Amino acid sequence: MDTFFTDAWVKALPEKWNRDPEMTTPLGQANFNSIIAFGLLDDLDPRVIVKVQEGRIKSAEMYRGGAYEPDWDLRASPETWAKWQTSGLGLTGLGVAVSSGALQFRKGDYRRLIRTPALAGPFLKFFSLL
């Protein structure tokens, strides 16, 4: 878990996300504004908070307390995050990950996400940005 949810990871994520038109274009067209938390299954609190406005990351920071209420809170084990970093995650893999509990949506509507193409494509693309 040395490369995930660290200060360096948080600083690099906005640049990767915001320069990728597969992320910004559909999310911008969908007027996607959200606060997204990422973390580990066994942790009470998330590790990272990301603020997205009009499909672009406006800020990303380490979680330091309850200042933000996330709209989405995604959790997985360190091993699972690492696997997705190298192999990505497709739609079938996403379904398996959610149904098996490998990926937990502590907040957010998973079904709405996968049924909305403007959200599903960028969500899956996110795993290649890890």
Side-chain angles (χ1 to χ4, degrees):
M1 195 65 187
D2 294 337
T3 60
F4 294 103
F5 312 138
T6 63
D7 285 324
W9 186 88
V10 167
K11 288 177 185 171
L13 180 62
E15 182 181 334
K16 289 179 183 180
W17 177 305
N18 291 340
R19 76 172 179 227
D20 191 323
E22 290 181 58
M23 296 297 290
T24 59
T25 301
L27 292 175
Q29 291 171 345
N31 297 314
F32 184 75
N33 299 303
S34 201
I35 297 174
I36 307 167
F38 299 99
L40 303 178
L41 290 174
D42 294 335
D43 289 351
L44 180 61
D45 293 321
R47 297 280 176 109
V48 171
I49 295 288
V50 175
K51 293 182 193 176
V52 179
Q53 292 179 333
E54 299 298 318
R56 301 180 68 81
I57 292 180
K58 295 300 179 186
S59 68
E61 58 192 58
M62 300 300 292
Y63 181 80
R64 289 180 173 56
Y68 306 109
E69 182 64 31
D71 302 300
W72 302 87
D73 187 346
L74 287 72
R75 306 294 181 96
S77 71
E79 300 79 21
T80 301
W81 285 118
K83 180 178 85 173
W84 292 332
Q85 180 185 36
T86 58
S87 63
L89 186 65
L91 194 55
T92 302
L94 174 62
V96 170
V98 171
S99 65
S100 70
L103 175 62
Q104 292 181 4
F105 281 73
R106 299 228 173 130
K107 292 201 78 177
D109 185 349
Y110 164 73
R111 286 177 180 78
R112 176 178 160 253
L113 174 79
I114 62 170
R115 291 181 181 146
T116 308
L119 300 179
F123 178 73
L124 294 172
K125 174 68 177 174
F126 163 76
F127 291 92
S128 71
L129 301 179
L130 292 172

